[in-house]
């Protein structure tokens, strides 16, 4: 999936996407009342923009938001749910299997093939190849 399609999904689902200075985190998602927002750092582009937008949309579209003030909320659970949404949308399992069967057998080659970051591709490999 290309980055522009992610922006279309955001618009269709009513998620407001804005660019501003979020250098430390690169991106952020927020639910305020019924409104959903994604903030992307001004410097993000290419594979990093695509991965960050998909991850934040994963938070918004699966309602995986955590309360930083609650000792009972598990942040990792929400992060994994957002990652899983992003992986399934950027790298569908059938496309992953096709790529591997056709010689893309390193994380680096797979990341280039799918136009994502190496870190993100490592998460996809762990999801689709749990052994």
């Amino acid at each position: 999936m290309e980055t522009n399609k992610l922006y279309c999904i955001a618009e269709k689902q009513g998620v407001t996407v804005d660019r501003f200075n979020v250098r430390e985190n690169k991106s952020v998602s927020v639910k305020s009342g019924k409104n959903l927002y994604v903030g992307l750092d001004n410097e993000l582009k290419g594979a990093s923009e695509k991965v960050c937008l998909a991850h934040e949309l994963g938070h918004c579209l699966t309602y995986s938001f955590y309360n930083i003030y609650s000792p009972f909320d598990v942040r990792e659970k929400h992060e994994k749910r957002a990652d899983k949404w992003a992986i399934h949308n950027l790298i569908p399992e059938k496309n992953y299997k096709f790529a591997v069967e056709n010689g893309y057998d390193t994380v680096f080659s797979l990341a280039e093939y799918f136009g994502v970051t190496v870190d993100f591709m490592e998460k996809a490999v762990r999801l689709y190849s749990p052994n």
Side-chain angles (χ1 to χ4, degrees), residues 16 20 30 58 86 106 128 131:
T16 301
F20 56 96
V30 177
T106 68
Y128 293 141
N131 298 331

Side-chain angles (χ1 to χ4, degrees), residues 83-124:
D83 278 339
K84 194 172 183 179
W85 185 93
I87 291 166
H88 285 302
N89 282 275
L90 295 183
I91 307 167
E93 188 170 12
K94 68 179 182 167
N95 297 29
Y96 170 79
K97 288 179 178 179
F98 176 84
V100 170
E101 289 168 1
N102 285 279
Y104 295 89
D105 56 358
T106 68
V107 173
F108 299 102
S109 65
L110 286 164
E112 187 174 333
Y113 178 80
F114 286 105
V116 298
T117 63
V118 171
D119 289 344
F120 185 78
M121 194 67 233
E122 287 172 343
K123 290 176 185 180

Side-chain angles (χ1 to χ4, degrees), residues 69-82:
Y69 303 108
S70 172
F72 304 108
D73 205 352
V74 182
R75 179 179 179 173
E76 186 177 348
K77 175 181 82 172
H78 299 290
E79 292 299 333
K80 283 186 177 184
R81 188 177 295 151

